[in-house]
Amino acid sequence: MNQAGKKNSTPLRWLRLTGVAGVIGAIMWILGDVLLIGATASVADYPLVLDTYADRVDTEKAAMMLPSSETRLAAGVLVANVSVVFYLAGTWHLFRGLLPAGRWWAWPLFVLLLCGFAWTPLGHAAYYYIGMVYKTLLTTPSGAHEAILALGERFHEVLVIAWTLPIVTIGLALLGLGVRIALGGTAWPRWFVLVANPVSLLAIGTAIASVSPEPVATWLSGAAFNLGLLVIYVLSTMLLWNGGHRPPTHSTPSVLSR
């Protein structure tokens, strides 16, 4: 291989590896969602939590976690926490795909994605704490319930804050990504915007879970976000495997430029 070939092979290799990393991250986070919030329960199953204290708990989230053991809930948190590094690496893949459109687009969106994914583990882990609070209600005397419910409410407030930050930042980044792809000039074809935007991401993830047979549909019911990201990373890795579209002018950074 000549020097020019060696020079171009290194960024292409990293483009591929970080795309695959994004795919792995999505798969691992889907597994985390399945373990943490991939169950379902009815009011008849847990009347104390889902009926008696329905005005004090998040019944939708409680129903997703009450049937699961503490070990399963903890595993769902830890799997996602450990594997977030793959999502962080995957942000570089998306950055390189944006780079041909110009650094003024690529860098801000890269920073939003990087920060958003870096903040996700706390929001994900917060589910475990409220889940364990709700499960503890089932095994404690009624005299302790008020203190436990108050603790659950505090944990829920933290969950909302912890999830809002990454959802907003990643959502803005995906919105910007979609706009830039639609305008052209990126390493992706313009039709990729039909997938790579926040609305389609959630719609695709929800549709995958909805059309799946039981019990898979229940397992995936809380994984729409990561299912959508899996589709984005799989398609992007395929589209950019050989570098994607070349920049229109010599002055525009290439996806393979250093």
Side-chain angles (χ1 to χ4, degrees):
M1 182 183 295
N2 59 35
Q3 291 299 317
K6 289 181 180 179
K7 183 177 179 181
N8 286 331
S9 67
T10 299
L12 180 59
R13 187 182 305 117
W14 281 110
L15 181 67
R16 292 171 175 174
L17 287 174
T18 52
V20 171
V23 172
I24 294 172
I27 292 172
M28 296 299 288
W29 271 69
I30 290 168
L31 176 59
D33 287 337
V34 169
L35 292 171
L36 185 62
I37 53 175
T40 186
S42 67
V43 174
D45 296 325
Y46 300 95
L48 178 67
V49 177
L50 301 180
D51 184 19
T52 304
Y53 293 131
D55 60 334
R56 299 287 303 276
V57 307
D58 187 326
T59 55
E60 180 181 1
K61 292 181 178 65
M64 291 175 157
M65 293 183 283
L66 283 171
S68 301
S69 67
E70 187 277 336
T71 300
R72 173 175 168 172
L73 295 178
V77 169
L78 295 174
V79 164
N81 184 67
V82 170
S83 60
V84 73
V85 293
F86 293 104
Y87 262 156
L88 293 175
T91 62
W92 185 255
H93 172 85
L94 299 179
F95 166 75
R96 301 302 297 196
L98 277 165
L99 196 56
R103 291 183 172 86
W104 285 104
W105 277 92
W107 278 106
L109 296 181
F110 170 64
V111 171
L112 282 174
L113 285 169
L114 191 65
C115 291
F117 282 116
W119 290 326
T120 52
L122 178 58
H124 188 77
Y127 276 83
Y128 169 83
Y129 296 102
I130 65 169
M132 289 305 300
V133 164
Y134 298 154
K135 289 173 72 66
T136 301
L137 285 170
L138 304 174
T139 59
T140 53
S142 58
H145 288 181
E146 177 58 36
I148 295 172
L149 288 166
L151 181 63
E153 289 169 347
R154 292 297 298 152
F155 282 161
H156 191 272
E157 291 173 5
V158 172
L159 184 152
V160 171
I161 296 170
W163 257 133
T164 298
L165 194 55
I167 290 299
V168 169
T169 50
I170 294 174
L172 288 173
L174 291 173
L175 181 62
L177 179 70
V179 169
R180 185 61 259 185
I181 293 171
L183 292 174
T186 70
W188 299 286
R190 292 193 183 193
W191 63 259
F192 188 51
V193 69
L194 298 176
V195 176
N197 69 79
V199 176
S200 294
L201 179 149
L202 290 176
I204 291 170
T206 301
I208 291 173
S210 299
V211 302
S212 298
E214 289 293 352
V216 178
T218 297
W219 296 344
L220 298 178
S221 60
F225 181 76
N226 292 298
L227 285 167
L229 282 172
L230 176 62
V231 173
I232 286 177
Y233 272 114
V234 167
L235 284 177
S236 181
T237 302
M238 293 171 61
L239 291 169
L240 303 188
W241 194 257
N242 292 315
H245 290 318
R246 295 297 184 267
T249 67
H250 295 296
S251 61
T252 305
S254 166
V255 71
L256 299 180
S257 63
R258 290 180 179 273

